Amino acid sequence: MTTFAMVPNMMRWEWFRLRRRTEFWVILGLLALAVVGTLAVSAGVLRLVQSSFSIPPYGYPLLVFELLSRLGPFLGIVLAGMVLGSDYGWGTFRPLFARGQRRWHVLTAKLALAALVLVVVWIVSWLLAAGVGMVAAEPAATGVEIMPWDSGSWAESAGAFVSAWPVTIAYLLLGALLCAVGRSTAFGLGVGIAILIVESIAYPAAGLISQLVLEVNLGDYTRWTLWGVTRGLMGRDDEIGPWVFLPAVVAYAAVFAALAGLVTERRDVSSGNG
């Protein structure tokens, strides 16, 4: 069987395994509740409260973008733990490879399935947000306040929304690398989430201190870190356009994928610590 046929077949098998896991559906259910809740609260508040604030139809996908842009990295790391780390904890890699499956085929199938799941999540979220926007938005609304992109059309709104997907893929591959290095779900999730927490606290704190004490803009020095390029791609860099950061995000994702493949090929696949 050729490589092009092998990977899709293995993806179907991985999907059979993943869909039988309760925690997978729990996570998707919580994400769905968050998306629906965001849209419902936004539409409800604007209907009930008299305010100058208004959201045009294409603004509702931007509200969901704000949610997914923050939850996406966590979702990517958790999915990596489910599709890859659990095989180390359960010790199921050995019998899989004993049947003659090449390691990079298995790794590709697992990560491709996770990326496909994220594509479906993004499409469903976009369609839901766009539908709510078409029904609930005020026809006379012409602008969106407090949004990361200067969005004045459906196309620009879609661009902002889509930008969070490559970011999530980058963290998915980072999670895969961590699971391969630690040979366990616990290591991948623990270190991955710790990295996200440190990024969300340390970078802003260091930036504020450097600005107040040293009068130095730390963003000029952290712009091309993983944290910097992912924020930049999602429109949170005030000096450079978002899509300039796409090659850098792709490069980070490629490095994580290559290292995860190298570690998987060269290290023992015996069970880790959970």
Side-chain angles (χ1 to χ4, degrees):
M1 185 178 293
T2 64
T3 298
F4 292 106
M6 181 77 71
V7 172
N9 283 336
M10 295 186 67
M11 286 178 64
R12 285 194 287 269
W13 167 244
E14 290 296 335
W15 170 241
F16 174 78
R17 296 176 63 201
L18 184 62
R19 73 186 186 189
R20 296 169 67 89
R21 299 185 62 173
T22 303
E23 58 268 34
F24 171 69
W25 296 109
V26 169
I27 290 174
L28 290 186
L30 292 175
L31 181 62
L33 285 176
V35 171
V36 172
T38 298
L39 295 172
V41 169
S42 301
V45 168
L46 291 179
R47 291 290 182 182
L48 296 174
V49 179
Q50 296 295 325
S51 173
S52 59
F53 177 76
S54 63
I55 302 178
Y58 53 79
Y60 282 86
L62 278 174
L63 292 172
V64 177
F65 155 74
E66 284 290 305
L67 176 69
L68 291 181
S69 67
R70 287 166 170 78
L71 296 182
F74 287 95
L75 183 60
I77 288 176
V78 170
L79 272 179
M82 285 188 180
V83 301
L84 184 62
S86 58
D87 282 303
Y88 286 105
W90 295 338
T92 50
F93 262 136
R94 279 193 180 277
L96 185 63
F97 294 149
R99 296 186 302 177
Q101 305 286 1
R102 299 189 63 177
R103 296 189 180 194
W104 75 270
H105 283 167
V106 174
L107 183 63
T108 300
K110 289 176 176 292
L111 297 179
L113 173 63
L116 183 58
V117 168
L118 293 172
V119 167
V120 174
V121 168
W122 255 243
I123 291 175
V124 172
S125 299
W126 164 262
L127 293 176
L128 180 61
V132 171
M134 296 294 292
V135 173
E138 300 176 18
T142 58
V144 183
E145 298 179 6
I146 320 177
M147 290 296 176
W149 292 50
D150 184 16
S151 235
S153 68
W154 279 104
E156 293 180 10
S157 174
F161 192 90
V162 170
S163 69
W165 184 80
V167 171
T168 304
I169 296 300
Y171 281 95
L172 167 71
L173 296 172
L174 173 60
L177 172 59
L178 294 173
C179 288
V181 169
R183 291 185 296 174
S184 75
T185 304
F187 183 88
L189 292 182
V191 176
I193 292 176
I195 288 173
L196 293 176
I197 293 174
V198 169
E199 284 181 339
S200 63
I201 296 176
Y203 278 107
L208 180 61
I209 293 172
S210 65
Q211 188 72 39
L212 295 177
V213 178
L214 304 176
E215 296 184 356
V216 173
N217 183 8
L218 191 64
D220 294 337
Y221 301 94
T222 61
R223 176 168 289 133
W224 301 107
T225 62
L226 176 62
W227 181 81
V229 298
T230 53
R231 282 178 53 84
L233 179 59
M234 293 186 295
R236 297 190 172 100
D237 189 303
D238 297 331
E239 299 181 14
I240 302 179
W243 296 111
V244 173
F245 293 95
L246 181 59
V249 173
V250 172
Y252 271 105
V255 169
F256 294 148
L259 290 176
L262 183 63
V263 172
T264 303
E265 285 284 344
R266 293 182 176 274
R267 292 196 64 182
D268 182 38
V269 293
S270 60
S271 176
N273 297 318

